[in-house]
Amino acid sequence: MPSWQARIINGYFRAVIRRRHWGDELSVARRARRHFGTPGALQKLRSFGVRVSAVSEGGVRGEWVEPPEPEGGAILYFHGGGYVAGSAAGNRPITAALARLARRRVFSLDYRLAPEHRYPAALDDALAAYRALLDGALGGGRLPASTIALAGDSAGGGLALALLLRARDEGLPAPGCAVCFSPWTDLSGSGESVRANDGRCVFLRPENCAEFAGAYLAGASPLDPYASPVFGDLRGLPPVLLQVGSTELLLDDARRVHEKIGEAGGLSELEVYDDVAHCWQMLDGFVPEARTALRSAARFVGQHLRP
């Protein structure tokens, strides 16, 4: 059973966020930008104990979130928001918690958003940030790939997996591991849970996935593995942790990636939490399941990043 805090949040999301249609591309972006993310006061509250510094270097924008006395390496984080909304600052409840719990610096990327910047702009920005970490262009010196973890939530989780594929295909060294919170890995919406969990998911309806995908893809195929990693060749990936809620529309987006990585001989861990909201990790400090999930993610990072 979910905690009473999770049940209260679920009721709020059903009443305020969830709806059958979000409108045309501009309406989708406006509504998402109004509802997604964290208010400024809460950003500061959840940033206790870490140092936040903005970065804009060589076309890469974002912020470093650094705990006291961090261990070596870094986490490269991609926020969610359906590729049309979200920001590095808005995801500090996750990035600050990861920095504290994993005791590592987190670089949270502000990638370009649709519909102003269509696919593959977000992936191009993610690749540029990964290269910048490898080259030492974002401060703190060059980082060996084995000391970098990728992480992201929702669209950002799918973006982390897409970056694994593109980095591999372009001959870049693989990061040490990846952590994906409720990842959106299938922009075609073909997963069985998209239909089976319609009405059970407190955050999204199936039509919303198509609306967000249309705003991002602008005619590109939703079957392109760099947009929908579930359709990619998942051989040769580093260890991956996937977390998802049992009632989410995107349950099968995580489950199918987990199965395909295993079939390809890779290491994947899948954690399914009972009846929690999409990207519940953002509710750290309010929902107990969020802290449980983030601690698990921090342990996974600690296990797989080399010194």
Side-chain angles (χ1 to χ4, degrees):
M1 289 288 294
S3 66
W4 64 266
Q5 296 96 323
R7 293 197 295 272
I8 289 174
I9 290 294
N10 288 351
Y12 171 81
F13 285 153
R14 287 191 191 97
V16 176
I17 303 294
R18 191 177 69 178
R19 61 174 54 194
R20 182 66 68 178
H21 291 286
W22 285 45
D24 60 18
E25 292 178 357
L26 292 179
S27 298
V28 166
R30 281 196 298 266
R31 180 173 172 81
R33 292 170 190 179
R34 186 166 64 249
H35 288 291
F36 293 172
T38 308
L42 191 55
Q43 293 173 19
K44 293 181 180 179
L45 177 65
R46 301 311 303 162
S47 301
F48 68 91
V50 298
R51 182 165 63 93
V52 178
S53 52
V55 174
S56 181
E57 187 69 39
V60 176
R61 296 183 304 108
E63 61 182 31
W64 278 110
V65 182
E66 303 178 72
E69 301 181 1
E71 297 183 16
I75 299 171
L76 175 56
Y77 195 87
F78 309 116
H79 66 77
Y83 292 108
V84 305
S87 67
N91 269 62
R92 282 187 203 156
I94 290 180
T95 56
L98 281 179
R100 290 190 299 269
L101 294 171
R103 297 184 60 190
R104 283 178 170 82
R105 299 187 302 152
V106 177
F107 184 78
S108 186
L109 177 67
D110 270 316
Y111 55 85
R112 289 171 292 170
L113 300 176
E116 295 87 352
H117 304 281
R118 311 282 196 168
Y119 171 80
L123 181 55
D124 289 342
D125 290 352
L127 181 64
Y130 185 55
R131 289 183 182 273
L133 286 178
L134 294 175
D135 296 340
L138 298 180
R142 295 173 180 265
L143 290 178
S146 61
T147 69
I148 300 173
L150 305 185
D153 63 281
S154 193
L159 188 57
L161 291 167
L163 177 57
L164 290 181
L165 300 183
R166 186 161 170 189
R168 179 199 63 195
D169 295 346
E170 295 198 8
L172 292 175
C177 64
V179 175
C180 303
F181 304 130
S182 301
W184 189 22
T185 70
D186 178 6
L187 273 61
S188 75
S190 64
E192 177 58 32
S193 61
V194 173
R195 290 166 293 280
N197 280 343
D198 185 19
R200 301 180 70 215
C201 180
V202 302
F203 206 86
L204 295 168
R205 294 286 193 177
E207 292 85 353
N208 307 149
C209 297
E211 291 164 344
F212 281 93
Y216 177 52
L217 293 174
S221 173
L223 306 182
D224 183 337
Y226 290 158
S228 299
V230 73
F231 299 118
D233 178 357
L234 303 186
R235 290 177 294 180
L237 302 187
V240 174
L241 171 65
L242 303 138
Q243 295 179 349
V244 68
S246 63
T247 56
E248 289 196 62
L249 292 189
L250 303 186
L251 172 61
D252 280 347
D253 283 49
R255 192 155 51 191
R256 286 182 294 161
V257 166
H258 170 69
E259 292 170 353
K260 289 192 67 174
I261 290 175
E263 292 167 358
L267 174 62
S268 173
E269 295 184 18
L270 174 66
E271 297 177 353
V272 180
Y273 288 69
D274 183 40
D275 196 14
V276 289
H278 179 61
C279 296
W280 74 96
Q281 297 86 352
M282 281 284 286
L283 301 167
D284 183 44
F286 301 95
V287 173
E289 291 92 336
R291 178 51 58 97
T292 300
L294 289 166
R295 282 178 175 154
S296 178
R299 283 195 300 268
F300 187 84
V301 169
Q303 290 168 358
H304 294 289
L305 289 198
R306 300 176 184 174

